[in-house]
Amino acid sequence: MKLKVNGTDHEVPREPDRPLLWVLRDELHLTGTKYSCGKGICGACEVHIDGAVARSCVTMLSEVEGKAVRTIEGLAPADGTLHPVQRAFVDEQAMQCGFCTSGQIMRATAFLDAHPHPTEDGIVSEMSNNYCRCGMYERIKRA
């Protein structure tokens, strides 16, 4: 089947019930998307599908055929500069172990695309959908 990831078409085996996460990591070698809970709970595996945030560990290939998938590797512009949200995470030191960071950034960018002038309550509500094992929530909120 054809899979469009970060603007590039890829041909992958047609396995409709295979989680997107494993295709991204094992076949396309896009390892920025992390495996953690495997149950769609923590958010470490979040990507964008047609601009909306999705948990790739519970998103099957059949759900993404014909849709645009964007991973953390596809977030920054081609010139190598960081996306503004990535830059904010660096500037605010919003990561400690870094395991949740790509999912946090993917959620934050989708949220900010939909809500360019969010309230603090809106940020807290949205970002509370993702876990951070290191407890960097205050820095994540500032970023």
Side-chain angles (χ1 to χ4, degrees):
M1 72 181 277
K2 287 187 181 177
L3 188 60
K4 185 180 225 58
V5 179
N6 299 331
T8 302
D9 288 325
H10 299 273
E11 196 67 41
V12 298
R14 181 171 292 285
E15 299 174 271
D17 295 330
R18 187 170 182 205
L20 174 62
L21 174 65
W22 298 121
V23 173
L24 295 173
R25 291 184 58 81
D26 296 343
E27 293 183 32
L28 303 182
H29 308 290
L30 297 170
T31 57
T33 303
K34 302 300 181 198
Y35 171 74
S36 184
C37 72
K39 298 180 183 207
I41 298 168
C42 72
C45 68
E46 287 186 333
V47 298
H48 296 166
I49 299 174
D50 284 345
V53 74
R55 296 191 171 175
S56 64
C57 72
V58 294
T59 301
M60 300 303 128
L61 282 180
S62 59
E63 298 173 65
V64 298
E65 189 168 15
K67 297 179 180 178
V69 176
R70 182 166 64 168
T71 68
I72 191 76
E73 291 91 347
L75 195 58
D79 67 6
T81 60
L82 293 177
H83 182 280
V85 174
Q86 291 172 308
R87 171 57 40 211
F89 267 66
V90 171
D91 292 346
E92 292 295 332
Q93 298 178 3
M95 62 206 84
Q96 188 167 336
C97 80
F99 204 80
C100 73
T101 306
S102 62
Q104 298 276 4
I105 289 172
M106 296 307 285
R107 176 164 292 275
T109 56
F111 176 68
L112 291 171
D113 286 347
H115 305 91
H117 304 288
T119 64
E120 183 174 341
D121 288 343
I123 293 167
V124 169
S125 176
E126 183 66 20
M127 297 309 293
S128 68
N129 289 296
N130 289 48
Y131 295 153
C132 174
R133 294 174 180 171
C134 301
M136 302 301 288
Y137 296 110
E138 189 61 35
R139 292 180 183 187
I140 290 168
K141 180 177 73 171
R142 285 197 314 260

